[in-house]
Amino acid sequence: MSKRFDVIVIGMGPGGETVAQRLMAAGKSVAVVEKELIGGECPYWACMPSKALLRPVEARAEASHAAGISTPAVDWAKIRNYRDIIVGYHDDSSRVDAYRSDGATVIKGEGRLAGPGQVTVNGERLTADNIILATGSRQAWPSVEGLDQVPVWTNREATSLTEIPERALLIGGSAVGVELGTFLSRMGSRVTIVQRGPRLLGREVPELSELVAARLVKDGIDVRVRCQARAVRREGQDTVVELDDGTSVRVDVVVLASGRALRTDLGLESVGVRTGARGEVPIDQHCRVADGLWAVGDITGVALFTHMALYQGRVVADNILGTPHVANYTGIPRVVFAEPEIAAVGLTTDAARRQGIDVATAQIDLPRSIRRPETYETEPSGTLGLIADRSRRILVGAWAVSPLAGEWIHTGALAVRAQLPIDVLLDGIAQFPTYNEAYYEAAAALGL
Ligand SMILES: Cc1cc2nc3c(=O)[nH]c(=O)nc-3n(C[C@H](O)[C@H](O)[C@H](O)COP(=O)(O)OP(=O)(O)OC[C@H]3O[C@@H](n4cnc5c(N)ncnc54)[C@H](O)[C@@H]3O)c2cc1C
C-alpha cells in the first residue's frame, strides 16, 4: 500500500525547500525526502560557511585600506566558532521539526523515481500528482593519479576546516577556487591555484580574468594557467603534486575546486527521461521534466547558484498552483566573494557576438571616473565594464572588480533584465558618492 501526497520533493536544498514551503503554504499535502541535511549544500558546506569565513579577511583588508585605521588582528578560533554557528553545527533537527509542525511529512532517506508519479524511499512506495527533483550537485572528482592516497578537501572539508594548512594547492580556478584561494592565502597559507584553461574564471570576459589573476598574484598566490595536476603522491608528511608543465609542488593538502557533478542517479529511466549533454535533467521553460515531474536547482544545469535554485523553485510552485510562470534567465548575477568582490551579469562580449549582437563595450577605471573609491580606500581601485547592444541601445552584460561589486552589480542586473534603454542610465541620478555612479560614466563611455 503506497502513501499518497499532492507533492513529493526529492532533495531539500534551497530549490526543494522553496517549492515545499510555497506548496505547503497553499494547503497542499507535501512529503519531503532528504538523504542528508534539510537545507542542502548551501547552508552547511557551500555559500554560507564560505562567506562567513571570507568576511573577516575582507573586513581586515578593507580596514587596512581605509585612512587612519590600524590593521585589525584576525582571531582564527573566533572565526571558526562563528562559522560553526552559521552552519548550525551541521544539525538540521530544528528544520525537520519546523517542517513537521507546518504539516509536512519529512522522510530521511534516499528517494528514487519508480515510474510516473511514484517514488521509493527506505523500501516504502509513495505516490503524488507532482514530484519535484531538487537533488543538487556534489564535488566532481578529477582524474589525477594517486588522488585517493593523499589528503584531499572537497568543498565540504574546505568549509569545515579547523586548522589553516601551511601550504595548499587548489585544482580549479573558477569561483570556488578563487574564493577558497583568497581565504587560505589571507589566513597565511602558501597557495597554488592550477587552472586547466587559459585563464581564471574562464567563463567571464578576459579583462576580468586578468584583473583577478593580477590581484591574486599580488596576494602572493602562485597562479598557474594552462596547467593540470598529473599525479600526486605522499612523501613523509608532504603531498607532492606533479604538474603537466614538468614542475611539482609540495603541499599539505589538495583542495578540489574542479567543478560539480549533478546528482541525477534518481531512477530517471523509470519515467523515460535521459540526462542532457552536461549530465543535466532536461526541463522546459516552466521547469517541467514530464507530466507531473519538475526539476529545480543545480540538477537542471542552468546556472549552479542558490539564487537560481530559489528562482526555479518559485517558478515551479507557481506553475503547480495554476499561475503559469515561464522562467526568464536573463540577467542572473554571478558574484565571486573575493577581496575585492568580482561580479558579472548577463552576456560576455564573446557570447553577445555569438548571438549576432552588434556589440559596443566600455571599461572604466573607477578612481579616475567617480569619487567614491578615494573616500573608501587610500589606494583606490576598481573597474566596471559594460557590454551593450548598439542597435537596440540596451545593456546585455556588465562586470566589475571592486569593493562592494556584489551589491551594486544589481543595477546592471536590473538593466539587463528589464532591457533598460541606455538613455535612462545616461539620464539617471545615482547618489553621490557611491560606486553605483559608475554606471553613468561607463554608459557614457559606450559612445552610443
Ligand atoms: C564552496 C561553494 C560555495 C558556493 N557559494 C555560493 C554562493 O555564494 N552563492 C550562490 O548562489 N551559490 C553558491 N554555491 C552554489 C550553491 O551551493 C548551489 O547552487 C545550491 O546549493 C544548489 O541548490 P540545490 O537546491 O539545487 O541543491 P543542493 O543544495 O545541492 O541540495 C540538494 C539536496 O538534495 C539531497 N539529495 C540528493 N540526492 C538525493 C536523493 N536521491 N534523495 C534525497 N535527497 C537527496 C542532498 O542531500 C541535498 O541536501 C556555492 C557552491 C560551493 C560548492
Side-chain angles (χ1 to χ4, degrees):
M1 190 49 189
S2 62
K3 285 193 189 149
R4 181 150 193 88
F5 301 90
D6 293 333
V7 180
I8 302 169
V9 180
I10 308 179
M12 283 293 279
E17 281 208 273
T18 304
V19 188
Q21 285 168 8
R22 291 192 165 224
L23 295 182
M24 285 160 63
K28 300 281 183 196
S29 67
V30 176
V32 304
V33 182
E34 169 54 56
K35 69 174 182 177
E36 290 188 89
L37 298 177
I38 297 235
E41 208 71 11
C42 175
Y44 302 109
W45 300 289
C47 331
M48 293 301 286
S50 63
K51 268 81 253 181
L53 291 170
L54 278 157
R55 176 64 191 138
V57 297
E58 177 191 52
R60 178 175 61 171
E62 285 188 335
S64 69
H65 300 154
I69 297 193
S70 49
T71 307
V74 160
D75 183 331
W76 171 230
K78 287 189 178 150
I79 296 174
R80 201 172 53 193
N81 289 346
Y82 187 63
R83 181 273 321 273
D84 292 342
I85 293 169
I86 285 287
V87 300
Y89 303 98
H90 293 134
D91 175 3
D92 70 344
S93 48
S94 60
R95 286 183 192 232
V96 172
D97 291 346
Y99 276 98
R100 287 199 170 126
S101 68
D102 287 347
T105 298
V106 180
I107 303 168
K108 280 295 186 91
E110 184 160 337
R112 279 186 80 77
L113 292 167
Q118 298 183 50
V119 171
T120 53
V121 54
N122 301 336
E124 213 182 355
R125 188 172 292 265
L126 318 176
T127 59
D129 300 332
N130 287 288
I131 296 172
I132 323 298
L133 307 176
T135 46
S137 66
R138 60 178 159 71
Q139 182 71 54
W141 206 261
S143 66
V144 178
E145 197 188 314
L147 207 53
D148 52 347
Q149 313 287 319
V150 301
V152 173
W153 288 356
T154 68
N155 63 297
R156 292 199 170 190
E157 292 79 18
T159 54
S160 312
L161 83 175
T162 52
E163 302 298 335
I164 305 295
E166 258 176 54
R167 303 157 300 175
L169 179 133
L170 284 93
I171 300 181
S174 58
V176 171
V178 170
E179 287 184 356
L180 290 175
T182 299
F183 169 74
L184 290 171
S185 132
R186 294 283 170 102
M187 290 300 292
S189 295
R190 222 169 331 128
V191 172
T192 305
I193 300 180
V194 294
Q195 160 78 332
R196 187 172 46 183
R199 53 195 178 84
L200 298 176
L201 301 172
R203 292 192 189 138
E204 303 298 348
V205 294
E207 297 87 334
L208 180 149
S209 299
E210 274 168 34
L211 287 166
V212 172
R215 186 72 189 211
L216 297 186
V217 169
K218 195 173 165 208
D219 268 7
I221 297 179
D222 181 2
V223 176
R224 307 208 190 178
V225 295
R226 289 199 171 88
C227 183
Q228 287 192 71
R230 219 173 40 75
V232 291
R233 65 172 187 279
R234 203 78 173 130
E235 263 187 31
Q237 289 303 302
D238 290 355
T239 292
V240 179
V241 186
E242 285 176 21
L243 303 174
D244 65 358
D245 61 6
T247 63
S248 62
V249 182
R250 204 167 269 273
V251 294
D252 300 299
V253 65
V254 173
V255 185
L256 301 184
S258 45
R260 309 285 297 168
L262 311 184
R263 288 199 205 108
T264 53
D265 180 18
L266 284 167
L268 288 169
E269 60 290 345
S270 72
V271 289
V273 172
R274 279 203 190 159
T275 51
R278 290 165 296 126
E280 79 282 8
V281 173
I283 50 168
D284 70 9
Q285 56 184 358
H286 295 94
C287 300
R288 186 186 285 110
V289 183
D291 240 14
L293 185 64
W294 312 78
V296 298
D298 284 5
I299 54 159
T300 68
V302 176
L304 276 55
F305 294 118
T306 289
H307 41 288
M308 175 54 66
L310 299 173
Y311 175 69
Q312 292 180 320
R314 298 197 292 269
V315 168
V316 166
D318 284 349
N319 285 316
I320 290 177
L321 292 172
T323 308
H325 190 158
V326 170
N328 181 333
Y329 300 125
T330 316
I332 304 160
R334 310 181 290 272
V335 176
V336 183
F337 293 78
E339 196 284 314
E341 288 179 352
I342 303 154
V345 65
L347 301 176
T348 60
T349 318
D350 281 353
R353 290 204 175 108
R354 279 198 300 276
Q355 290 191 10
I357 293 172
D358 180 10
V359 171
T361 61
Q363 178 176 329
I364 62 164
D365 181 47
L366 301 187
R368 286 203 203 140
S369 313
I370 55 172
R371 304 300 303 275
R372 181 56 171 153
E374 69 199 85
T375 64
Y376 204 81
E377 47 191 0
T378 50
E379 288 178 37
S381 66
T383 306
L384 170 65
L386 296 183
I387 299 142
D389 180 330
R390 195 185 290 278
S391 49
R392 288 193 296 159
R393 294 180 64 78
I394 56 167
L395 283 193
V396 293
W399 58 271
V401 180
S402 160
L404 306 176
E407 306 296 329
W408 54 270
I409 196 64
H410 289 89
T411 298
L414 204 55
V416 170
R417 168 67 198 257
Q419 303 192 349
L420 191 75
I422 300 275
D423 299 306
V424 175
L425 282 178
L426 288 170
D427 195 44
I429 305 171
Q431 171 72 46
F432 175 87
T434 62
Y435 284 104
N436 216 71
E437 285 182 288
Y439 284 101
Y440 167 80
E441 299 293 337
L446 285 167
L448 296 179

